[in-house]
Amino acid sequence: MSKAQDEIIKQWEMLASGDLKGGDPKSLEMVTPEGITIKPLYTAADVPPSAAKEIPGQAPYTRGVRATMYTGRPWTIRQYAGFSTAQESNKFYRKNLAAGQKGLSVAFDLATHRGYDSDHPRVTGDVGKAGVAIDSVEDMKILFDGIPLDKMSVSMTMNGAVIPILAMYIVAGEEQGVSLDKLSGTIQNDILKEFMVRNTYIYPPTPSMKIIGDIIEYTSGHMPKFNSISISGYHMQEAGATLSQELAYTLADGMEYVRAAMDKGLDVDAFAGRLSFFFCIGMDMFMEAAKLRAARQMWAQIMTDFGAKSERSKMLRTHCQTSGVSLTMQDPYNNVVRTTVEAIAATLGGTQSLHTNAFDEAIALPTETSARIARNTQLILQHETGMTRVVDPLAGSYYVESLTKQLADEAWKMINEVEVLGGMTKAIESGLPKLKIEEAALGRQSRVDAGQDIIVGVNKYMLEQEDPIDILDIDNEKVRAGQVKLLAQIKASRDSAAVDAGLAEITKVAKSGEGNLLAAAVEAARARATLGEITQAMEVEFGRHDAVTRVLSGVYSALNKEDPLFKNIQTRIADFESKENHLPYILVAKMGQDGHDRGAKVVATSFADMGFKVDVTNLFVTPDEVADIAIEKGVDVVGVSSLAAGHKTLVPELIKLLKAKNASYIKVVLGGVIPEQDFEFLRDAGVDAIFPPGSNLFDAANAVLGVVSGLKRNH
């Protein structure tokens, strides 16, 4: 080190001790939501000694799972997509593959996720929304028509209805002439995170773990190129988790799945090499890169502790997706920049494959144009930036190496907390991870509302006038009608006795615990049993999980008690109570099969802390059920949370039902991913207020109070 460098470091040390004029450097430090203190200067003293000894392709794989990383082969470009019908999705996939995409990632609609056929009465507003509807093998065959499944890696984001979806994929491959051993790709099959955040579960935790064990067993024996599980932290971060929470709880989930497979009698090295991971990549660029480095390092240690001997078993291989929650409806072209920054973070962190979100996904499903920009973002990074010239370019960075260690240290503490409870299944049953994530989400929302976390175009540098954005609109009723027609044709032409026998065998395996559920489902799918029928055959024995929605109290008020805006809304609510002899009463509702409840929880908790009387429906309720609950409880207003594009079907139906039940005095407000193009339609339908993504909670509370204050209570 030169004398000049020595002098600079000495000056920083003097500044830190207060001996140098210029102020306290502590004022330049900040503490992240993970509890990590970020300093303005890092030196060699901040780098852990082990970092200098690590090289790519060798345990603990901090620097990457392959010695050559992207210099040998760049990451795989995947685009997660499903468009209403199998025909439309197939068309989109084939076009993207021709344009340079290297693998398929299938998004299913919410009816499919929850194990319902498209003709089920509970999913009238969900069919074809937020993904492709799959009811049978025939849909799966259309989905992959002209796409050779022996040559194309297919990733499927499916957890709840994982048995029928994987069975139908296997049969579609068979009927394409592709044997099991040639199928390659990944099924997400990560049910534990569904109970924490995403909520597209079907069965309770214990039988769900039986399903996972059976899938790992079946694929280990028959599908050597197929990854039987993708352990996902993505939806944790989307639900508000800090990066250390995402890291810890994802790896803890992985530990639980390893135990489930070993409990089936499998040797750890027989399956561990085909476990994969899925992380969210947000806007804290260096922290995100450090997270992926820490994840590989920690997983190598975890698998060593499980007795893994194969080096492949110790490698954490991951797919990443840029953050959806970081995208904004306001000034949406900024999202192109956000997605680019997140893509850079993922690749600097060493991901094996990547999906880049389209800039308009905070508004609606992506258009063909926005999806092309998202895909080309990765092509530009691969071909124009020099990103693939060097293996692990961040290695040795004082800052990144320090972050990697600190993130790992924080995550180990959380994993140990889970282990003390008996593992992740027990921790989930206790509610601990869900509670911690919800607290983190409230903290994030509070910082944004207060302007402490700056979101360009949302709480700073706002546009006076937003430009209109073209959006993709799905005709839900048309899609559903087509699916129902095909279902009827399949049921009329199949061998009913073979279907009944196949379904009976599934129920028998579920009841006895003997045999393999996936193997039984493959036989039923060959006979053309539908997704809903296969799901129901297991539900007979397992039941359907029905979580109780709880609302935190005191968290939002503790964060905002001194804020003048918070005090102002409390005063307004007190004035309302004095005048009307009751508190303003809101029912927060989630209708349809969308389980993303971060927004609903944040609104319910913050409104309760501000002084509203608040009730929350359970998930997956119908408009009719919401209307009955609202009338029974005597609420002033129903606040509907919608993130899955069902608002044009479900919300007008709720308003009609309230009117039909002589309860039109109950007003309806709406929040979530609502395109501005739909505002007029919704207002004409009777919606009193609309809150798109990025809405300030204080503004929303004042607006809802205004709606309630205008009521004439006549019941």
Side-chain angles (χ1 to χ4, degrees), residues 2 6 38 85 143 150 165 185 235 237 289 294 378 420 454 465 476 486 508 517 630 644 683:
S2 69
D6 278 338
I38 304 298
T85 65
L143 187 68
D150 57 342
I165 284 295
H235 303 96
Q237 188 179 145
Q378 295 194 54
V420 167
I454 293 172
Q465 180 69 41
N476 162 246
L486 182 57
K508 179 182 173 184
L517 285 166
R683 288 179 180 129

Side-chain angles (χ1 to χ4, degrees), residues 189-193 195-196 205-206 208-210 212-213 216 229 231 248-264 271 275 277 299 302-303 306 415 418-429:
N189 192 27
D190 176 7
I191 201 63
L192 289 177
K193 70 99 171 46
F195 296 109
M196 276 189 276
T206 299
S208 295
M209 291 300 293
K210 152 74 174 165
I212 284 170
I216 293 174
I229 193 165
I231 304 151
Y249 295 150
T250 304
L251 297 186
D253 281 350
M255 293 165 69
E256 198 79 341
Y257 297 138
V258 170
R259 292 186 182 111
M262 293 175 74
D263 287 346
K264 297 283 292 184
F271 65 86
L275 302 178
F277 288 78
W299 188 246
I302 287 166
M303 294 311 297
F306 271 118
I415 289 174
V418 168
E419 290 294 284
V420 167
L421 292 172
M424 204 53 169
T425 303
K426 295 290 185 186
I428 286 169
E429 289 171 351

